Amino acid sequence: MELTPEELVAEFRDAVTELYFARKRIAVLEAENTALRARLAAATAADEPTGATA
């Protein structure tokens, strides 16, 4: 199946648009992941006794 130049341009624009939104979603997920890791670290640190020796 061959595409016309106009169809190729439309396909390219669609791909670029999808990539743009995927990158935005990745940035949101990375920020959420960082926040969750910080919460986990804080919760873990709060559960550990301070000044305890092994």
Side-chain angles (χ1 to χ4, degrees):
M1 176 176 135
E2 287 190 31
L3 299 175
T4 66
E6 293 81 13
E7 291 171 329
L8 284 171
V9 169
E11 289 291 324
F12 178 76
R13 285 184 178 156
D14 288 347
V16 169
T17 301
E18 288 179 27
L19 181 59
Y20 170 79
F21 286 111
R23 286 183 173 170
K24 285 184 75 167
R25 181 69 179 140
I26 288 168
V28 168
L29 290 172
E30 286 175 341
E32 184 180 341
N33 187 32
T34 300
L36 289 171
R37 286 180 185 267
R39 283 180 52 195
L40 179 61
T44 302
D47 289 343
E48 293 177 0
T50 57
T53 57

